[in-house]
Amino acid sequence: MCASPARGAIRRFYREVSVVASATKEGWFNVLLDNRPIKTPKKVLFEVPSEPIAYAVACEWDSQPEVINPSTILVGAICNAALDNPTNLPQEARLQNLLPFLETDTVAFRASFPDQLIDCESKAWDPLVDWFKQTFNVPLYTTTALHIKQAQEAKDAYLNFLRGLNQFELTAMELAVDTTKSAVIPAALYHQQISATEAVNAARVEVAFQTERFGEVEWHHTIEKHDTTRRVASAAFIMHESKDCTMLPLQDI
């Protein structure tokens, strides 16, 4: 006997999922459920600026079982947030919320012992620090202490980079920054200096070292790694696929 869906669960209410070109925005696409366009939580027409993004969202909807699992529609959720701006914060406030990650950045805070961990961090993070310094032509400090203050020119350069993102890129960037607890790793990911897998590995250096040394709690570490990977990979996909699309920068929308 099949168990009944949990209270509040939504049964799959459609049979077919398809993608069509937007009738109002050239180069944009809609996702249809039984020929009806989906909408965002704020009831805005769901339109995305890239056909690959549209098909990724369509696949997420098409793969749903009898009871819809919203947590598996992650690319769709990023797009919803890009279209809805659920926090209702203006652009500059959203950028300012990302800035503190530069001073608490994963790659900036180093272990003072043991030597094996120091080596692991250096191999994973030194190339990212060097890339950031060279790309933005600013200093970026690292420390083994509890606090660090980055140079104002580094903060200004990072903010200027963020100001050039469109709403899809920025929303994906917010997810990547929050997931990796780093401003540097997602910036390198955006510029395709590292892959999503490399970004995940960079964000998990200390966790990976500890689990290799002391063992893995399967139900915890396996889930954590899977969740980190899917969040970073989804964010990377959105950033890369919306980068060259026909769209105004966020401040002009």
Side-chain angles (χ1 to χ4, degrees):
M1 186 175 184
C2 295
S4 300
R7 180 174 296 179
I10 301 175
R11 287 186 178 274
R12 177 166 174 155
F13 54 88
Y14 54 92
R15 291 186 177 184
E16 296 183 354
V17 184
S18 57
V19 171
V20 297
S22 170
T24 58
K25 295 181 180 178
E26 183 178 357
W28 288 56
F29 297 84
N30 305 120
V31 177
L32 310 182
L33 305 181
D34 291 340
N35 294 319
R36 296 179 180 178
I38 62 175
K39 293 185 177 181
T40 71
K42 286 188 175 181
K43 307 304 181 184
V44 174
L45 180 63
F46 186 93
E47 292 185 299
V48 293
S50 157
E51 191 171 18
I53 293 176
Y55 274 104
V57 176
C59 285
E60 289 179 332
W61 281 99
D62 197 36
S63 65
Q64 294 302 305
E66 181 182 354
V67 176
I68 294 174
N69 182 358
S71 68
T72 62
I73 310 179
L74 185 53
V75 175
I78 297 172
C79 295
N80 281 336
L83 294 166
D84 278 352
N85 184 17
T87 63
N88 294 318
L89 291 175
Q91 178 217 8
E92 193 62 27
R94 293 171 66 183
L95 305 189
Q96 292 295 332
N97 284 343
L98 293 178
L99 188 58
F101 284 91
L102 194 63
E103 292 198 321
T104 61
D105 203 294
T106 294
V107 305
F109 286 83
R110 307 298 179 89
S112 56
F113 68 92
D115 290 341
Q116 299 96 317
L117 178 56
I118 294 173
D119 290 342
C120 288
E121 291 178 344
S122 294
K123 289 178 182 178
W125 296 343
D126 284 356
L128 292 170
V129 172
D130 291 341
W131 170 84
F132 189 92
K133 291 160 68 173
Q134 293 170 8
T135 299
F136 296 103
N137 194 29
V138 294
L140 187 69
Y141 307 127
T142 63
T143 184
T144 57
L146 295 177
H147 303 284
I148 193 171
K149 186 173 180 62
Q150 297 293 352
Q152 187 61 46
E153 54 262 47
K155 299 178 188 178
D156 292 342
Y158 182 60
L159 280 175
N160 286 335
F161 157 65
L162 294 176
R163 289 186 180 113
L165 304 181
N166 63 51
Q167 76 264 38
F168 285 85
E169 293 170 326
L170 178 58
T171 304
M173 183 66 67
E174 288 170 327
L175 176 62
V177 168
D178 180 68
T179 301
T180 61
K181 301 298 182 279
S182 170
V184 175
I185 295 172
L189 182 63
Y190 175 85
H191 285 282
Q192 296 183 298
Q193 295 300 303
I194 55 175
S195 66
T197 299
E198 290 169 330
V200 170
N201 290 340
R204 300 184 73 257
V205 168
E206 293 184 2
V207 174
F209 177 82
Q210 297 296 343
T211 55
E212 183 176 336
R213 192 177 188 186
F214 300 111
E216 185 177 84
V217 179
E218 185 174 354
W219 62 268
H220 172 71
H221 291 114
T222 302
I223 293 174
E224 177 270 328
K225 183 177 181 180
H226 173 74
D227 186 60
T228 299
T229 300
R230 74 187 190 93
R231 286 162 64 92
V232 171
S234 297
F237 175 70
I238 294 289
M239 286 191 286
H240 297 161
E241 289 298 332
S242 63
K243 184 180 295 186
D244 298 321
C245 296
T246 304
M247 191 174 356
L248 293 173
L250 187 62
Q251 60 265 34
D252 296 329
I253 292 178

